[in-house]
Amino acid sequence: MRLLFLIASLLLAAITVAQTQKASGVADFISIDTPVFVLEHVRVIDGTGTPAKEDQAVVIANGKIQFIGPEESAQIPPGAQRMGRSGYTVIPGLVGMHDHLYYTDSYSLQVVDGKVGEPGLFIAEIPYTAPRLYLAAGVTTMRTTGSLETYTDLKVKSRIEANLMPGPSIDATAPYLEGAPTRFAQMHELTGPDDAKRMVDYWAAEGMTSYKAYMNITREELGVAIRQAHAHKLKLTGHLCSVTWPEAVALGIDDLEHGPVFLPTPNSSRTRSRTCAQQVVAEAAGPNRT
Ligand SMILES: [Zn+2]
């Protein structure tokens, strides 16, 4: 099935800052740069769960969809570029909910005899390739869901917004809210609830737009982080272990990643933290999720 993604940001970019793009390389990724055009004879899947509709026309003007409906009832604006796309399917741009700007493929190389050397597991940022790959896969909006090179993530976001590089609209997630001990060289270890509040406030001020709690956070740190994120009108998700999902839900967490990876038994937070640290190393030897 051939797909056309309705990429509002790129369409807008194509229309408003074409000159800038020509200099930046963004233009290489834009196949339509006329302000008013019609995709004709396409199949439309609108994402609401209704059945696909055949032989549709989609009229787009100045970056916005003006009409979607049967070809025979389409009002084609004068001067519109008409593009017959029989055999293609149009879908909304995808929203990537867990799209990191880094890659974890080297984990297994860093674990020797079940142990990770100091200063811990490290992960490579891929700021050039990742946004392009997500966009190529149809993702037009994405959440980074945990940051390791946070200022790089912010730079990628700002460069995309300025039409200086191709990529989806980015909800930039702050650095992992991780407790001690972490096995990752690039993660800060929270020292308590006050530190959790400080982290949330700082990264909100820097322009991050969501948060992610990680495996060794304590219940007290998580509770403060959730409250403070909500005070900034931002959301917090979690890849948890030391705090159970029911506990996190009771604390008001907005979202949960992966899992189930929590331990069901109500052990002390300290005991569970050690277990979670060991679990990270065990996972590092095989397929991994961060
Ligand atoms: Zn992840």
Side-chain angles (χ1 to χ4, degrees), residues 11 13 26-27 33 37 64 97 191 217 223 235 239 246 270 283 285:
L11 293 173
V26 174
D33 64 358
F37 61 95
K64 292 195 171 166
M97 292 299 293
T191 58
I217 194 168
K235 292 194 183 332
H239 173 168
R270 186 172 178 77
E283 285 183 355

Side-chain angles (χ1 to χ4, degrees), residues 49-101:
T50 58
K53 297 188 178 75
E54 305 293 339
D55 201 25
Q56 302 285 291
V58 181
V59 178
I60 296 168
N62 300 313
K64 292 195 171 166
I65 298 170
Q66 285 203 329
F67 172 87
I68 301 180
E71 181 71 36
E72 64 269 17
S73 63
Q75 305 261 323
I76 310 294
Q81 181 178 339
R82 302 181 69 152
M83 308 172 69
R85 286 295 183 269
S86 179
Y88 281 79
T89 299
V90 176
I91 68 170
L94 303 176
V95 179
M97 292 299 293
H98 197 131
D99 292 359
H100 296 308
L101 290 175

Side-chain angles (χ1 to χ4, degrees), residues 98 100 102 144-145 176 212 239 258 289-290:
H98 197 131
H100 296 308
Y102 60 77
T144 62
T145 320
Y176 288 76
K212 181 180 179 183
H239 173 168
H258 309 305
R289 299 174 299 195
T290 313

Side-chain angles (χ1 to χ4, degrees), residues 119-125 147-149 175 183-188:
L121 289 164
F122 55 89
I123 296 166
E125 182 92 351
S147 171
L148 295 168
E149 280 192 27
R183 301 301 297 175
F184 291 89
Q186 290 139 305
M187 288 189 194
H188 172 66

